[in-house]
Amino acid sequence: MLPQKPANGAALRPGDVVEVRSAAEILATLDKDGALHGTLFMPEMMAHIGQRLTVSRRVDKVCNMVDESGSRRMRGTVYLEDLRCDGSSHGGCQAGCRVYWKEEWLRKVDDNHAARLGAAGMAASAELERTAGAATHPAIPVDESGAQVWRCQSTDALKASEPVRRRDIGQYWRELTNGNFNPIRFVALLVRAMAMDMLHHFGLMKTLPLQGPGKVGSKREMLGLKPGELVRVRSAEEIAATLDHRGESSGLSFDREMLPHCGGTFRVKTAVQRIVDEKTGRMLKIPKDCIILDGVACSGELSVNGRWFCPRAIYPFWRESWLTRVGDTADQPTEQSCHR
């Protein structure tokens, strides 16, 4: 029997304090593929069983990076704080995706409830861990090239969601009423998004905000950055000089969500060397410089192509040539705005 949703079926909202249900309860919700309504319960989530956490956002609409056919509708799903997959059971993937939590896996905090593990609970925990671990691999664990293939919540996103038509008014009504935004901020974001989308439709705003001077970007500056180092994001003009005519640097694009961080100072979170490709499930080895900055994530508020209000907060990847160490002689703060 599936456990009831929190609060007698009431949808969870940002700010609600919840407890992750026991292994036995979660296990009872999973199908033969280790998923609930297409959403995998991953081994990386095991550490949070029994924890009390705060709902940070409802996940009613997400951008689609698998086949890029448009946004997707998700149901009964939330984010808890900023919990992210550490990739420990997915070959060390460093994408750092936020983890989807189905409402059936959570209960609103009841001070009278105390989790009891016991022998039966320990057995259920071991079985859930085995089930979740098996679910990370598809039935055929290698593709035609012999490369290992992984499954995760991102690779299975199409199974866990359904298409959203761009003119579906319901998607905006849900964002207005689900607690993710206050009404004033929601209206301001919607007006801006619609204006940007119209400009994009008529060719007055490009998908990528910066383009370089030629077919090949300038030679990239290599800094050899390490986690914890303090860096400043270069100005839009400096970054544009490193890009090719498409707005990319050796295949890595500089997108509109990155513009507000120009001139900002951040710490290096990690240098990315491997990520699971959402489209194929294959592990991609990244031989060139690819940096994640601590505290910098996609807002879902500046993109075009109908991706507005996506809550995934994906980490953008940075080339070292777009950054400079704070304190370096070449580090010259700019007062110019990065917005175009």
Side-chain angles (χ1 to χ4, degrees):
M1 178 182 294
L2 299 183
Q4 292 183 350
K5 288 188 178 182
N8 297 321
L12 292 172
R13 295 173 63 82
D16 286 343
V17 178
V18 297
E19 181 178 278
V20 180
R21 288 182 181 270
S22 69
E25 291 175 299
I26 294 172
L27 189 61
T29 71
L30 304 182
D31 60 22
K32 62 181 179 60
D33 295 319
L36 173 60
H37 306 315
T39 299
L40 291 181
F41 186 90
M42 303 186 300
E44 290 88 349
M45 302 164 72
M46 290 290 302
H48 304 295
I49 288 178
Q51 288 186 352
R52 293 188 174 187
L53 300 157
T54 302
V55 175
S56 55
R57 190 158 174 174
R58 286 200 61 80
V59 183
D60 289 325
K61 170 190 172 182
V62 294
C63 62
N64 169 19
M65 304 299 289
V66 177
D67 63 10
E68 300 185 10
S69 59
S71 296
R72 307 285 296 186
R73 169 83 162 102
M74 295 192 72
R75 300 176 186 273
T77 308
V78 298
Y79 286 133
L80 300 181
E81 300 178 12
D82 194 34
L83 296 187
R84 292 178 180 266
C85 176
D86 64 8
S88 57
S89 293
H90 286 84
C93 173
Q94 297 172 286
C97 299
R98 298 181 84 179
V99 177
Y100 298 133
W101 295 88
K102 304 302 289 186
E103 290 183 316
E104 289 89 340
W105 299 339
L106 310 169
R107 63 162 58 84
K108 272 194 173 181
V109 164
D110 178 356
D111 290 334
N112 295 322
H113 172 81
R116 294 180 176 84
L117 190 58
M122 292 177 65
S125 181
E127 177 63 15
L128 176 60
E129 189 163 12
R130 185 199 65 77
T131 300
T136 64
H137 298 286
I140 302 176
V142 296
D143 64 13
E144 62 279 0
S145 69
Q148 187 173 21
V149 177
W150 300 88
R151 288 180 66 211
C152 67
Q153 291 183 342
S154 294
T155 63
D156 281 25
L158 298 187
K159 299 177 184 178
S161 60
E162 57 197 63
V164 175
R165 291 182 294 112
R166 295 189 63 174
R167 296 182 180 179
D168 177 8
I169 303 300
Q171 62 183 302
Y172 307 118
W173 176 251
R174 286 189 292 272
E175 290 297 332
L176 176 62
T177 59
N178 64 14
N180 285 344
F181 299 95
N182 69 55
I184 295 177
R185 178 164 174 74
F186 170 81
V187 171
L189 290 174
L190 183 61
V191 169
R192 182 176 66 186
M194 293 178 69
M196 290 175 61
D197 201 50
M198 184 172 295
L199 291 172
H200 181 262
H201 177 75
F202 287 106
L204 300 176
M205 176 178 286
K206 296 183 178 180
T207 301
L208 296 179
L210 306 177
Q211 284 76 40
K215 291 187 177 181
V216 180
S218 65
K219 185 176 180 180
R220 300 204 314 275
E221 179 181 358
M222 304 299 290
L223 304 177
L225 295 171
K226 304 296 183 183
E229 287 196 73
L230 200 62
V231 296
R232 177 174 286 110
V233 180
R234 293 183 181 274
S235 69
E237 289 75 15
E238 291 175 301
I239 292 173
T242 72
L243 305 176
D244 61 23
H245 67 290
R246 296 170 300 184
E248 299 179 350
S249 172
S250 297
L252 185 63
S253 62
F254 184 90
D255 68 45
R256 198 168 297 280
E257 288 280 353
M258 301 165 78
L259 271 178
H261 304 293
C262 290
T265 300
F266 307 94
R267 291 200 179 275
V268 174
K269 183 176 180 67
T270 190
V272 178
Q273 298 175 323
R274 62 178 64 85
I275 59 170
V276 172
D277 184 1
E278 295 183 16
K279 298 179 180 180
T280 65
R282 295 178 62 182
M283 183 67 71
L284 301 180
K285 303 291 181 65
I286 302 178
K288 302 174 182 178
D289 57 307
C290 184
I291 302 297
I292 288 177
L293 300 179
D294 197 18
V296 177
C298 176
S299 69
E301 299 172 4
L302 295 175
S303 299
V304 291
N305 296 330
R307 295 178 179 175
W308 326 317
F309 305 114
C310 172
R312 294 184 64 188
I314 296 171
Y315 288 135
F317 296 151
W318 302 80
R319 290 294 188 210
E320 290 189 340
S321 55
W322 302 341
L323 311 169
T324 180
R325 281 190 177 91
V326 170
D328 280 359
T329 303
D331 173 30
Q332 297 294 330
T334 177
E335 295 181 0
Q336 293 178 329
S337 170
C338 288
H339 293 275
R340 287 188 171 185

